[in-house]
Each structure stands twice: as structure tokens, then as C-alpha cells.
Amino acid sequence: MTLPSDAPTPADDSRDVENAGAAGAAGGGAAEPGTVRPGGRTARVRAAVLEAAGDMLAEQGFHGLDLAEVARRAEVGKTTVYRRWGTVAGLVADLLTDMAEQSLPRTDTGSLEEDLLANARLVLRTLTDPRQGPLFKAVLAAATGDARTAEALHRFYEARVAEWAPCVQEAVARGELPEDTDAAEVVRAVSAPLYYRLLTTGAPLDEAAARRAAGAAVAAARAGAFVRTP
């Protein structure tokens, strides 16, 4: 990928990162690598690095991710990448944060069945995408052995669950579901069968699977399976 003509040189970007870190320190502590939210030219460098990291994850998996190679692909200085993210885990954590920020907003049809089916279809499209599917497999595999990647993955999914939970809360308000239904658990129940197929069974990930996952979650919710217990 070629950066815009006004992209910073590695030295310029390093100064931006150092300044951001200094600001964090002035606020009470140095920022952890991969957590500073840059703006302007540095934001463009971040976007280029994260795209390169995502490509490498999809192609080679977590253990094939190398910060120097990411820098080469993104056409930025190695020093910039090492200072900004510090480790491969830090880079993956920031990639997941960016993916959560870029994810599509929830669908609001006014129908619980249609809303949850839209959620299932979104998960389906992600897991079957030629790039996103292998990328998620790599991240999921890495999270089993790397605590920081696991934490970042948890934050990513909690953000997505929180985005879709209101469709369940609104169904409760309409009287379609029992009081005290745990909205987050209902949303998780939609995607869980799809991830299970992806990681364990090898069964097809298709429209039928999405409909089955959404329908099962709705039926269980209506039967009170997700009501919070005292």
C-alpha cells in the first residue's frame, strides 16, 4: 500500500507518538503501547499499519505476524511501529479495537426475529469473507495462548454485543420477551452456533445456518432461557 503524499516520515511520526505518550504521562501515567488514539497524519500511518497487519494475519496467522514486515508493507519506519505498538500482541489489540469501531451499526426493524437474523447474517458475512474469516481464525487461535490478545478479543465482542443488545431490550419493552431477559446473552446465543461451526465442525456456514441460529435464540428467549436468576 502507498501512503498519501502528505504522509509523515518515520521521524515525524515518531515525534507524534512521543508527544502523545508525553501527554499521557502528564495526565498521570504513560499510555500502554497500542492504546493512544492519534489524529491527522499519524492516524493515516495507523490505518496503513493496521491494514498491513490484518493482511498478514489473514495470510500467515498470528505466529507469522512480524512487526518489521508489517512496517515494510505499510511503508513506514520500523521504529514507528515498535514505538507505537511495542509487540505483536499490542498491534493485534489495536487492530481489534479498530475493527470494533468500524463495524456496522445494528439493524433496527422493530421485529426481534428480523433484528437477530440481521445480526446472524452480519456474523456470517464476516466469517465467510475471504479476508475477515482467516483473520478471525488467527485471532481466536492466538487468544487461547496470549492474555493480551484474549483481553482485546473480549473487548471487541463486548462492544459488538452492546451494539446489538438494544434490539432485545426493546423486545422486552414491547412485551415479546420475559422481564429480566439478559439481552447480552441473547445476542451471544445468535453468534455462538456460527463460531462453533467455524472452529469445530466444518459444517457449512450459509443462510440456513444463520436462520437456524437466530431462530433458536428467539425461541429460547421467549421460553425464558435467558432470564436472569437471583
Short mmCIF file of all heavy atoms in Angstrom, two decimals, residues 84-157:
data_model
loop_
_atom_site.label_atom_id
_atom_site.label_comp_id
_atom_site.label_asym_id
_atom_site.label_seq_id
_atom_site.Cartn_x
_atom_site.Cartn_y
_atom_site.Cartn_z
N ARG A 84 5.13 2.64 18.61
CA ARG A 84 3.68 2.85 18.71
C ARG A 84 2.97 1.65 19.32
O ARG A 84 2.06 1.79 20.14
CB ARG A 84 3.13 3.13 17.30
CG ARG A 84 1.61 3.07 17.19
CD ARG A 84 0.99 4.43 17.41
NE ARG A 84 -0.43 4.38 17.10
CZ ARG A 84 -1.38 4.09 18.00
NH1 ARG A 84 -1.06 3.82 19.23
NH2 ARG A 84 -2.65 4.11 17.63
N TRP A 85 3.39 0.42 18.91
CA TRP A 85 2.66 -0.78 19.34
C TRP A 85 3.47 -1.68 20.26
O TRP A 85 2.90 -2.43 21.03
CB TRP A 85 2.18 -1.57 18.13
CG TRP A 85 1.05 -0.88 17.44
CD1 TRP A 85 -0.28 -0.94 17.77
CD2 TRP A 85 1.12 0.00 16.31
NE1 TRP A 85 -1.03 -0.16 16.92
CE2 TRP A 85 -0.19 0.44 16.01
CE3 TRP A 85 2.18 0.49 15.53
CZ2 TRP A 85 -0.47 1.31 14.96
CZ3 TRP A 85 1.90 1.35 14.48
CH2 TRP A 85 0.57 1.76 14.21
N GLY A 86 4.77 -1.65 20.16
CA GLY A 86 5.62 -2.37 21.10
C GLY A 86 5.77 -3.86 20.83
O GLY A 86 6.88 -4.38 20.75
N THR A 87 4.66 -4.56 20.68
CA THR A 87 4.68 -6.02 20.48
C THR A 87 3.63 -6.42 19.46
O THR A 87 2.73 -5.64 19.14
CB THR A 87 4.38 -6.76 21.80
OG1 THR A 87 3.04 -6.44 22.21
CG2 THR A 87 5.37 -6.37 22.91
N VAL A 88 3.71 -7.65 19.01
CA VAL A 88 2.69 -8.19 18.11
C VAL A 88 1.33 -8.18 18.79
O VAL A 88 0.31 -7.82 18.19
CB VAL A 88 3.07 -9.61 17.65
CG1 VAL A 88 1.89 -10.31 16.99
CG2 VAL A 88 4.25 -9.57 16.67
N ALA A 89 1.30 -8.56 20.07
CA ALA A 89 0.03 -8.57 20.80
C ALA A 89 -0.56 -7.17 20.89
O ALA A 89 -1.78 -6.99 20.78
CB ALA A 89 0.24 -9.14 22.21
N GLY A 90 0.30 -6.16 21.08
CA GLY A 90 -0.20 -4.79 21.12
C GLY A 90 -0.79 -4.36 19.80
O GLY A 90 -1.81 -3.66 19.75
N LEU A 91 -0.18 -4.80 18.71
CA LEU A 91 -0.68 -4.46 17.38
C LEU A 91 -2.02 -5.15 17.13
O LEU A 91 -2.97 -4.54 16.61
CB LEU A 91 0.35 -4.88 16.33
CG LEU A 91 0.00 -4.60 14.87
CD1 LEU A 91 -0.34 -3.13 14.65
CD2 LEU A 91 1.16 -5.01 13.97
N VAL A 92 -2.14 -6.41 17.50
CA VAL A 92 -3.40 -7.14 17.31
C VAL A 92 -4.50 -6.52 18.17
O VAL A 92 -5.65 -6.40 17.74
CB VAL A 92 -3.22 -8.63 17.64
CG1 VAL A 92 -4.56 -9.35 17.65
CG2 VAL A 92 -2.29 -9.28 16.63
N ALA A 93 -4.16 -6.10 19.39
CA ALA A 93 -5.14 -5.45 20.25
C ALA A 93 -5.69 -4.19 19.60
O ALA A 93 -6.90 -3.93 19.61
CB ALA A 93 -4.51 -5.12 21.60
N ASP A 94 -4.81 -3.40 19.00
CA ASP A 94 -5.25 -2.17 18.35
C ASP A 94 -6.06 -2.48 17.09
O ASP A 94 -7.02 -1.79 16.77
CB ASP A 94 -4.04 -1.30 18.00
CG ASP A 94 -4.43 0.16 17.73
OD1 ASP A 94 -5.49 0.60 18.22
OD2 ASP A 94 -3.67 0.85 17.04
N LEU A 95 -5.68 -3.54 16.39
CA LEU A 95 -6.44 -3.95 15.20
C LEU A 95 -7.88 -4.31 15.58
O LEU A 95 -8.83 -3.91 14.91
CB LEU A 95 -5.75 -5.14 14.53
CG LEU A 95 -6.47 -5.75 13.32
CD1 LEU A 95 -6.58 -4.74 12.19
CD2 LEU A 95 -5.72 -7.00 12.85
N LEU A 96 -8.04 -5.05 16.67
CA LEU A 96 -9.38 -5.42 17.12
C LEU A 96 -10.18 -4.19 17.56
O LEU A 96 -11.38 -4.11 17.31
CB LEU A 96 -9.29 -6.43 18.26
CG LEU A 96 -8.90 -7.85 17.84
CD1 LEU A 96 -8.53 -8.68 19.06
CD2 LEU A 96 -10.03 -8.51 17.07
N THR A 97 -9.51 -3.26 18.21
CA THR A 97 -10.18 -2.02 18.60
C THR A 97 -10.69 -1.28 17.37
O THR A 97 -11.83 -0.81 17.32
CB THR A 97 -9.22 -1.12 19.38
OG1 THR A 97 -8.84 -1.78 20.59
CG2 THR A 97 -9.88 0.21 19.74
N ASP A 98 -9.84 -1.20 16.35
CA ASP A 98 -10.23 -0.53 15.11
C ASP A 98 -11.38 -1.27 14.42
O ASP A 98 -12.31 -0.64 13.91
CB ASP A 98 -9.03 -0.45 14.17
CG ASP A 98 -9.34 0.28 12.89
OD1 ASP A 98 -9.56 1.51 12.94
OD2 ASP A 98 -9.38 -0.37 11.82
N MET A 99 -11.35 -2.58 14.43
CA MET A 99 -12.42 -3.35 13.79
C MET A 99 -13.75 -3.14 14.51
O MET A 99 -14.80 -3.05 13.87
CB MET A 99 -12.04 -4.84 13.78
CG MET A 99 -10.91 -5.16 12.82
SD MET A 99 -10.26 -6.83 13.00
CE MET A 99 -11.68 -7.78 12.50
N ALA A 100 -13.69 -3.05 15.83
CA ALA A 100 -14.93 -2.78 16.58
C ALA A 100 -15.48 -1.41 16.23
O ALA A 100 -16.69 -1.23 16.08
CB ALA A 100 -14.66 -2.88 18.08
N GLU A 101 -14.57 -0.43 16.07
CA GLU A 101 -15.01 0.93 15.74
C GLU A 101 -15.60 1.00 14.33
O GLU A 101 -16.50 1.80 14.08
CB GLU A 101 -13.82 1.88 15.86
CG GLU A 101 -13.31 2.07 17.29
CD GLU A 101 -11.97 2.79 17.34
OE1 GLU A 101 -11.37 2.99 16.25
OE2 GLU A 101 -11.52 3.12 18.44
N GLN A 102 -15.10 0.16 13.43
CA GLN A 102 -15.53 0.21 12.04
C GLN A 102 -16.73 -0.69 11.73
O GLN A 102 -17.27 -0.66 10.64
CB GLN A 102 -14.37 -0.19 11.11
CG GLN A 102 -13.14 0.69 11.22
CD GLN A 102 -13.42 2.14 10.87
OE1 GLN A 102 -14.20 2.42 9.97
NE2 GLN A 102 -12.79 3.06 11.58
N SER A 103 -17.12 -1.53 12.70
CA SER A 103 -18.20 -2.48 12.46
C SER A 103 -19.51 -1.77 12.16
O SER A 103 -19.76 -0.66 12.66
CB SER A 103 -18.39 -3.40 13.67
OG SER A 103 -17.27 -4.24 13.85
N LEU A 104 -20.34 -2.41 11.39
CA LEU A 104 -21.62 -1.82 11.01
C LEU A 104 -22.54 -1.69 12.23
O LEU A 104 -22.53 -2.53 13.11
CB LEU A 104 -22.32 -2.69 9.96
CG LEU A 104 -21.64 -2.76 8.60
CD1 LEU A 104 -22.37 -3.77 7.72
CD2 LEU A 104 -21.63 -1.40 7.93
N PRO A 105 -23.33 -0.63 12.29
CA PRO A 105 -24.29 -0.48 13.39
C PRO A 105 -25.39 -1.53 13.28
O PRO A 105 -25.61 -2.11 12.23
CB PRO A 105 -24.84 0.94 13.20
CG PRO A 105 -24.68 1.21 11.74
CD PRO A 105 -23.41 0.51 11.34
N ARG A 106 -26.08 -1.73 14.39
CA ARG A 106 -27.12 -2.75 14.41
C ARG A 106 -28.29 -2.36 13.51
O ARG A 106 -28.53 -1.19 13.23
CB ARG A 106 -27.63 -2.96 15.84
CG ARG A 106 -28.47 -1.82 16.38
CD ARG A 106 -28.89 -2.11 17.82
NE ARG A 106 -29.65 -1.02 18.40
CZ ARG A 106 -30.98 -0.94 18.38
NH1 ARG A 106 -31.69 -1.89 17.81
NH2 ARG A 106 -31.59 0.08 18.93
N THR A 107 -29.02 -3.36 13.09
CA THR A 107 -30.25 -3.17 12.33
C THR A 107 -31.40 -2.94 13.31
O THR A 107 -31.44 -3.53 14.38
CB THR A 107 -30.54 -4.41 11.47
OG1 THR A 107 -29.45 -4.58 10.55
CG2 THR A 107 -31.83 -4.27 10.70
N ASP A 108 -32.33 -2.07 12.94
CA ASP A 108 -33.49 -1.80 13.80
C ASP A 108 -34.74 -1.89 12.93
O ASP A 108 -35.14 -0.94 12.29
CB ASP A 108 -33.37 -0.42 14.44
CG ASP A 108 -34.48 -0.15 15.44
OD1 ASP A 108 -35.30 -1.06 15.67
OD2 ASP A 108 -34.53 0.97 15.99
N THR A 109 -35.35 -3.08 12.90
CA THR A 109 -36.53 -3.29 12.06
C THR A 109 -37.82 -3.21 12.86
O THR A 109 -38.91 -3.17 12.28
CB THR A 109 -36.47 -4.69 11.40
OG1 THR A 109 -36.58 -5.70 12.42
CG2 THR A 109 -35.17 -4.87 10.64
N GLY A 110 -37.71 -3.25 14.20
CA GLY A 110 -38.90 -3.30 15.03
C GLY A 110 -39.40 -4.71 15.26
O GLY A 110 -40.39 -4.93 15.94
N SER A 111 -38.69 -5.70 14.70
CA SER A 111 -39.04 -7.11 14.86
C SER A 111 -37.84 -7.83 15.45
O SER A 111 -36.73 -7.77 14.89
CB SER A 111 -39.39 -7.73 13.50
OG SER A 111 -39.36 -9.14 13.57
N LEU A 112 -38.04 -8.51 16.56
CA LEU A 112 -36.93 -9.23 17.19
C LEU A 112 -36.35 -10.27 16.24
O LEU A 112 -35.13 -10.40 16.10
CB LEU A 112 -37.40 -9.90 18.48
CG LEU A 112 -36.33 -10.72 19.23
CD1 LEU A 112 -35.20 -9.82 19.69
CD2 LEU A 112 -36.94 -11.47 20.40
N GLU A 113 -37.22 -11.03 15.57
CA GLU A 113 -36.75 -12.07 14.66
C GLU A 113 -35.88 -11.48 13.56
O GLU A 113 -34.81 -12.00 13.24
CB GLU A 113 -37.93 -12.82 14.04
CG GLU A 113 -38.72 -13.65 15.02
CD GLU A 113 -39.90 -12.87 15.59
OE1 GLU A 113 -39.85 -11.62 15.58
OE2 GLU A 113 -40.86 -13.51 16.05
N GLU A 114 -36.34 -10.39 12.96
CA GLU A 114 -35.60 -9.80 11.84
C GLU A 114 -34.30 -9.15 12.32
O GLU A 114 -33.27 -9.21 11.63
CB GLU A 114 -36.47 -8.78 11.11
CG GLU A 114 -37.61 -9.41 10.33
CD GLU A 114 -37.13 -10.40 9.29
OE1 GLU A 114 -36.13 -10.11 8.59
OE2 GLU A 114 -37.74 -11.49 9.18
N ASP A 115 -34.35 -8.53 13.50
CA ASP A 115 -33.13 -7.91 14.03
C ASP A 115 -32.06 -8.97 14.30
O ASP A 115 -30.89 -8.79 13.92
CB ASP A 115 -33.43 -7.15 15.32
CG ASP A 115 -34.20 -5.87 15.08
OD1 ASP A 115 -34.33 -5.45 13.92
OD2 ASP A 115 -34.68 -5.28 16.08
N LEU A 116 -32.43 -10.05 14.95
CA LEU A 116 -31.45 -11.09 15.27
C LEU A 116 -31.00 -11.84 14.03
O LEU A 116 -29.85 -12.29 13.95
CB LEU A 116 -32.01 -12.04 16.32
CG LEU A 116 -32.25 -11.43 17.70
CD1 LEU A 116 -32.66 -12.50 18.70
CD2 LEU A 116 -31.03 -10.67 18.21
N LEU A 117 -31.88 -11.97 13.04
CA LEU A 117 -31.46 -12.57 11.78
C LEU A 117 -30.43 -11.67 11.08
O LEU A 117 -29.45 -12.16 10.50
CB LEU A 117 -32.66 -12.80 10.87
CG LEU A 117 -32.36 -13.41 9.49
CD1 LEU A 117 -31.60 -14.73 9.63
CD2 LEU A 117 -33.65 -13.59 8.69
N ALA A 118 -30.64 -10.36 11.16
CA ALA A 118 -29.66 -9.43 10.58
C ALA A 118 -28.31 -9.57 11.29
O ALA A 118 -27.25 -9.52 10.66
CB ALA A 118 -30.17 -8.00 10.70
N ASN A 119 -28.34 -9.76 12.60
CA ASN A 119 -27.10 -9.97 13.35
C ASN A 119 -26.42 -11.25 12.90
O ASN A 119 -25.20 -11.28 12.67
CB ASN A 119 -27.41 -10.02 14.84
CG ASN A 119 -26.17 -10.29 15.67
OD1 ASN A 119 -25.95 -11.42 16.11
ND2 ASN A 119 -25.36 -9.28 15.88
N ALA A 120 -27.19 -12.33 12.76
CA ALA A 120 -26.62 -13.60 12.32
C ALA A 120 -26.02 -13.48 10.93
O ALA A 120 -24.95 -14.03 10.65
CB ALA A 120 -27.70 -14.69 12.35
N ARG A 121 -26.70 -12.76 10.05
CA ARG A 121 -26.18 -12.59 8.69
C ARG A 121 -24.89 -11.78 8.68
O ARG A 121 -23.99 -12.03 7.87
CB ARG A 121 -27.24 -11.91 7.82
CG ARG A 121 -28.37 -12.85 7.41
CD ARG A 121 -29.50 -12.09 6.76
NE ARG A 121 -30.48 -12.99 6.14
CZ ARG A 121 -31.71 -12.62 5.80
NH1 ARG A 121 -32.12 -11.37 6.02
NH2 ARG A 121 -32.53 -13.49 5.25
N LEU A 122 -24.79 -10.79 9.57
CA LEU A 122 -23.58 -9.99 9.65
C LEU A 122 -22.41 -10.86 10.12
O LEU A 122 -21.30 -10.80 9.55
CB LEU A 122 -23.78 -8.82 10.62
CG LEU A 122 -22.57 -7.92 10.85
CD1 LEU A 122 -22.09 -7.30 9.55
CD2 LEU A 122 -22.90 -6.83 11.87
N VAL A 123 -22.65 -11.68 11.13
CA VAL A 123 -21.61 -12.61 11.59
C VAL A 123 -21.23 -13.57 10.47
O VAL A 123 -20.05 -13.83 10.22
CB VAL A 123 -22.09 -13.39 12.83
CG1 VAL A 123 -21.08 -14.46 13.22
CG2 VAL A 123 -22.33 -12.44 14.00
N LEU A 124 -22.24 -14.07 9.77
CA LEU A 124 -22.00 -15.00 8.66
C LEU A 124 -21.12 -14.36 7.58
O LEU A 124 -20.16 -14.98 7.11
CB LEU A 124 -23.34 -15.43 8.07
CG LEU A 124 -23.30 -16.40 6.90
CD1 LEU A 124 -22.80 -17.76 7.34
CD2 LEU A 124 -24.69 -16.52 6.27
N ARG A 125 -21.46 -13.13 7.20
CA ARG A 125 -20.66 -12.45 6.17
C ARG A 125 -19.22 -12.27 6.62
O ARG A 125 -18.29 -12.42 5.82
CB ARG A 125 -21.28 -11.09 5.83
CG ARG A 125 -22.54 -11.16 5.01
CD ARG A 125 -22.84 -9.83 4.34
NE ARG A 125 -23.00 -8.75 5.31
CZ ARG A 125 -24.14 -8.44 5.90
NH1 ARG A 125 -25.24 -9.15 5.65
NH2 ARG A 125 -24.22 -7.42 6.75
N THR A 126 -19.03 -11.95 7.88
CA THR A 126 -17.68 -11.75 8.40
C THR A 126 -16.88 -13.05 8.36
O THR A 126 -15.74 -13.09 7.89
CB THR A 126 -17.73 -11.22 9.84
OG1 THR A 126 -18.41 -9.96 9.85
CG2 THR A 126 -16.33 -11.03 10.40
N LEU A 127 -17.49 -14.13 8.85
CA LEU A 127 -16.75 -15.39 8.97
C LEU A 127 -16.50 -16.05 7.62
O LEU A 127 -15.58 -16.87 7.51
CB LEU A 127 -17.52 -16.34 9.88
CG LEU A 127 -17.70 -15.87 11.33
CD1 LEU A 127 -18.38 -16.96 12.15
CD2 LEU A 127 -16.37 -15.48 11.96
N THR A 128 -17.30 -15.73 6.62
CA THR A 128 -17.10 -16.33 5.30
C THR A 128 -16.35 -15.40 4.34
O THR A 128 -16.07 -15.78 3.20
CB THR A 128 -18.45 -16.72 4.67
OG1 THR A 128 -19.30 -15.56 4.59
CG2 THR A 128 -19.14 -17.79 5.48
N ASP A 129 -16.02 -14.21 4.79
CA ASP A 129 -15.27 -13.28 3.95
C ASP A 129 -13.86 -13.81 3.71
O ASP A 129 -13.22 -14.32 4.64
CB ASP A 129 -15.20 -11.90 4.63
CG ASP A 129 -14.47 -10.88 3.79
OD1 ASP A 129 -15.11 -10.28 2.91
OD2 ASP A 129 -13.26 -10.67 4.02
N PRO A 130 -13.34 -13.72 2.48
CA PRO A 130 -12.01 -14.28 2.20
C PRO A 130 -10.89 -13.72 3.06
O PRO A 130 -9.89 -14.39 3.31
CB PRO A 130 -11.80 -13.92 0.71
CG PRO A 130 -13.17 -13.76 0.16
CD PRO A 130 -14.00 -13.19 1.28
N ARG A 131 -11.04 -12.48 3.50
CA ARG A 131 -10.01 -11.87 4.35
C ARG A 131 -10.38 -11.95 5.82
O ARG A 131 -9.59 -12.36 6.67
CB ARG A 131 -9.79 -10.40 3.96
CG ARG A 131 -8.71 -9.68 4.78
CD ARG A 131 -8.51 -8.27 4.26
NE ARG A 131 -7.42 -7.57 4.92
CZ ARG A 131 -7.57 -6.86 6.03
NH1 ARG A 131 -8.76 -6.77 6.61
NH2 ARG A 131 -6.53 -6.23 6.57
N GLN A 132 -11.61 -11.54 6.15
CA GLN A 132 -12.01 -11.47 7.56
C GLN A 132 -12.09 -12.85 8.21
O GLN A 132 -11.77 -13.00 9.38
CB GLN A 132 -13.37 -10.77 7.68
CG GLN A 132 -13.35 -9.31 7.25
CD GLN A 132 -12.68 -8.41 8.29
OE1 GLN A 132 -12.30 -8.86 9.35
NE2 GLN A 132 -12.55 -7.16 7.97
N GLY A 133 -12.54 -13.85 7.46
CA GLY A 133 -12.66 -15.19 8.02
C GLY A 133 -11.33 -15.72 8.54
O GLY A 133 -11.20 -16.06 9.73
N PRO A 134 -10.29 -15.80 7.69
CA PRO A 134 -8.99 -16.26 8.17
C PRO A 134 -8.41 -15.36 9.26
O PRO A 134 -7.74 -15.84 10.17
CB PRO A 134 -8.12 -16.21 6.90
CG PRO A 134 -9.08 -16.35 5.78
CD PRO A 134 -10.32 -15.63 6.23
N LEU A 135 -8.67 -14.04 9.17
CA LEU A 135 -8.17 -13.12 10.19
C LEU A 135 -8.75 -13.47 11.56
O LEU A 135 -8.02 -13.55 12.56
CB LEU A 135 -8.52 -11.69 9.78
CG LEU A 135 -7.87 -10.53 10.55
CD1 LEU A 135 -7.95 -9.25 9.71
CD2 LEU A 135 -8.55 -10.27 11.89
N PHE A 136 -10.07 -13.70 11.60
CA PHE A 136 -10.69 -14.04 12.88
C PHE A 136 -10.21 -15.39 13.39
O PHE A 136 -10.01 -15.57 14.60
CB PHE A 136 -12.21 -14.04 12.75
CG PHE A 136 -12.82 -12.71 13.10
CD1 PHE A 136 -13.19 -11.82 12.10
CD2 PHE A 136 -13.01 -12.34 14.41
CE1 PHE A 136 -13.72 -10.59 12.42
CE2 PHE A 136 -13.55 -11.11 14.74
CZ PHE A 136 -13.91 -10.23 13.74
N LYS A 137 -10.02 -16.34 12.51
CA LYS A 137 -9.48 -17.63 12.95
C LYS A 137 -8.11 -17.45 13.60
O LYS A 137 -7.81 -18.06 14.64
CB LYS A 137 -9.36 -18.58 11.76
CG LYS A 137 -10.66 -19.22 11.31
CD LYS A 137 -10.37 -20.23 10.21
CE LYS A 137 -11.64 -20.91 9.74
NZ LYS A 137 -11.38 -21.87 8.64
N ALA A 138 -7.27 -16.62 13.01
CA ALA A 138 -5.94 -16.38 13.55
C ALA A 138 -6.01 -15.71 14.92
O ALA A 138 -5.28 -16.08 15.84
CB ALA A 138 -5.13 -15.51 12.58
N VAL A 139 -6.89 -14.74 15.05
CA VAL A 139 -7.02 -14.03 16.33
C VAL A 139 -7.58 -14.96 17.41
O VAL A 139 -7.10 -14.97 18.55
CB VAL A 139 -7.90 -12.78 16.18
CG1 VAL A 139 -8.20 -12.17 17.53
CG2 VAL A 139 -7.21 -11.75 15.29
N LEU A 140 -8.58 -15.75 17.06
CA LEU A 140 -9.16 -16.68 18.02
C LEU A 140 -8.11 -17.70 18.48
O LEU A 140 -8.04 -18.04 19.68
CB LEU A 140 -10.35 -17.41 17.41
CG LEU A 140 -11.61 -16.55 17.19
CD1 LEU A 140 -12.58 -17.27 16.26
CD2 LEU A 140 -12.28 -16.22 18.51
N ALA A 141 -7.31 -18.18 17.56
CA ALA A 141 -6.27 -19.14 17.93
C ALA A 141 -5.24 -18.48 18.83
O ALA A 141 -4.80 -19.07 19.83
CB ALA A 141 -5.60 -19.69 16.67
N ALA A 142 -4.86 -17.24 18.52
CA ALA A 142 -3.87 -16.54 19.33
C ALA A 142 -4.38 -16.26 20.73
O ALA A 142 -3.64 -16.31 21.71
CB ALA A 142 -3.47 -15.24 18.65
N ALA A 143 -5.68 -15.97 20.84
CA ALA A 143 -6.26 -15.62 22.14
C ALA A 143 -6.20 -16.77 23.13
O ALA A 143 -6.25 -16.54 24.35
CB ALA A 143 -7.69 -15.15 21.95
N THR A 144 -6.10 -17.99 22.64
CA THR A 144 -6.03 -19.13 23.56
C THR A 144 -4.71 -19.20 24.30
O THR A 144 -4.61 -19.86 25.34
CB THR A 144 -6.26 -20.45 22.82
OG1 THR A 144 -5.19 -20.65 21.86
CG2 THR A 144 -7.59 -20.44 22.09
N GLY A 145 -3.68 -18.52 23.77
CA GLY A 145 -2.36 -18.60 24.40
C GLY A 145 -1.73 -17.28 24.73
O GLY A 145 -0.62 -17.24 25.27
N ASP A 146 -2.40 -16.19 24.42
CA ASP A 146 -1.84 -14.86 24.68
C ASP A 146 -2.87 -14.03 25.43
O ASP A 146 -3.94 -13.73 24.89
CB ASP A 146 -1.44 -14.18 23.36
CG ASP A 146 -0.79 -12.83 23.59
OD1 ASP A 146 0.44 -12.78 23.78
OD2 ASP A 146 -1.52 -11.80 23.62
N ALA A 147 -2.55 -13.65 26.65
CA ALA A 147 -3.51 -12.98 27.52
C ALA A 147 -3.93 -11.63 26.96
O ALA A 147 -5.11 -11.25 27.04
CB ALA A 147 -2.93 -12.81 28.92
N ARG A 148 -3.00 -10.88 26.38
CA ARG A 148 -3.36 -9.56 25.89
C ARG A 148 -4.27 -9.65 24.66
O ARG A 148 -5.20 -8.86 24.52
CB ARG A 148 -2.10 -8.75 25.55
CG ARG A 148 -2.42 -7.31 25.21
CD ARG A 148 -1.20 -6.47 25.06
NE ARG A 148 -1.57 -5.10 24.70
CZ ARG A 148 -0.69 -4.18 24.33
NH1 ARG A 148 0.60 -4.46 24.28
NH2 ARG A 148 -1.10 -2.97 24.00
N THR A 149 -3.99 -10.60 23.79
CA THR A 149 -4.87 -10.80 22.64
C THR A 149 -6.26 -11.23 23.10
O THR A 149 -7.27 -10.78 22.57
CB THR A 149 -4.28 -11.85 21.69
OG1 THR A 149 -2.97 -11.45 21.29
CG2 THR A 149 -5.15 -12.01 20.46
N ALA A 150 -6.30 -12.12 24.10
CA ALA A 150 -7.59 -12.56 24.64
C ALA A 150 -8.38 -11.39 25.21
O ALA A 150 -9.58 -11.26 24.98
CB ALA A 150 -7.38 -13.62 25.71
N GLU A 151 -7.70 -10.51 25.94
CA GLU A 151 -8.38 -9.34 26.51
C GLU A 151 -8.93 -8.43 25.42
O GLU A 151 -10.05 -7.94 25.50
CB GLU A 151 -7.41 -8.56 27.40
CG GLU A 151 -8.01 -7.34 28.06
CD GLU A 151 -6.99 -6.54 28.86
OE1 GLU A 151 -5.86 -7.02 29.05
OE2 GLU A 151 -7.34 -5.42 29.29
N ALA A 152 -8.12 -8.22 24.37
CA ALA A 152 -8.57 -7.39 23.26
C ALA A 152 -9.75 -8.02 22.53
O ALA A 152 -10.70 -7.33 22.13
CB ALA A 152 -7.41 -7.16 22.28
N LEU A 153 -9.72 -9.34 22.39
CA LEU A 153 -10.83 -10.04 21.74
C LEU A 153 -12.10 -9.91 22.56
O LEU A 153 -13.19 -9.69 22.02
CB LEU A 153 -10.47 -11.51 21.54
CG LEU A 153 -11.46 -12.37 20.76
CD1 LEU A 153 -11.60 -11.88 19.32
CD2 LEU A 153 -11.05 -13.84 20.78
N HIS A 154 -11.97 -10.03 23.88
CA HIS A 154 -13.14 -9.87 24.76
C HIS A 154 -13.73 -8.47 24.62
O HIS A 154 -14.96 -8.31 24.56
CB HIS A 154 -12.74 -10.14 26.20
CG HIS A 154 -12.26 -11.53 26.45
ND1 HIS A 154 -11.49 -11.89 27.54
CD2 HIS A 154 -12.44 -12.68 25.72
CE1 HIS A 154 -11.22 -13.18 27.48
NE2 HIS A 154 -11.78 -13.68 26.39
N ARG A 155 -12.86 -7.46 24.57
CA ARG A 155 -13.35 -6.08 24.41
C ARG A 155 -14.07 -5.91 23.08
O ARG A 155 -15.10 -5.23 23.00
CB ARG A 155 -12.20 -5.08 24.52
CG ARG A 155 -11.64 -4.90 25.92
CD ARG A 155 -10.82 -3.62 26.01
NE ARG A 155 -9.74 -3.60 25.05
CZ ARG A 155 -8.50 -4.02 25.30
NH1 ARG A 155 -8.21 -4.53 26.49
NH2 ARG A 155 -7.56 -3.96 24.38
N PHE A 156 -13.52 -6.52 22.04
CA PHE A 156 -14.14 -6.43 20.71
C PHE A 156 -15.56 -6.99 20.75
O PHE A 156 -16.51 -6.36 20.29
CB PHE A 156 -13.30 -7.20 19.69
CG PHE A 156 -13.96 -7.35 18.35
CD1 PHE A 156 -13.88 -6.36 17.40
CD2 PHE A 156 -14.69 -8.51 18.04
CE1 PHE A 156 -14.50 -6.49 16.16
CE2 PHE A 156 -15.31 -8.65 16.82
CZ PHE A 156 -15.22 -7.64 15.87
N TYR A 157 -15.72 -8.19 21.31
CA TYR A 157 -17.04 -8.81 21.30
C TYR A 157 -18.00 -8.13 22.26
O TYR A 157 -19.20 -8.05 21.97
CB TYR A 157 -16.92 -10.31 21.59
CG TYR A 157 -16.51 -11.06 20.35
CD1 TYR A 157 -15.26 -11.67 20.26
CD2 TYR A 157 -17.34 -11.12 19.25
CE1 TYR A 157 -14.87 -12.32 19.11
CE2 TYR A 157 -16.96 -11.76 18.10
CZ TYR A 157 -15.73 -12.37 18.03
OH TYR A 157 -15.34 -13.00 16.87
#
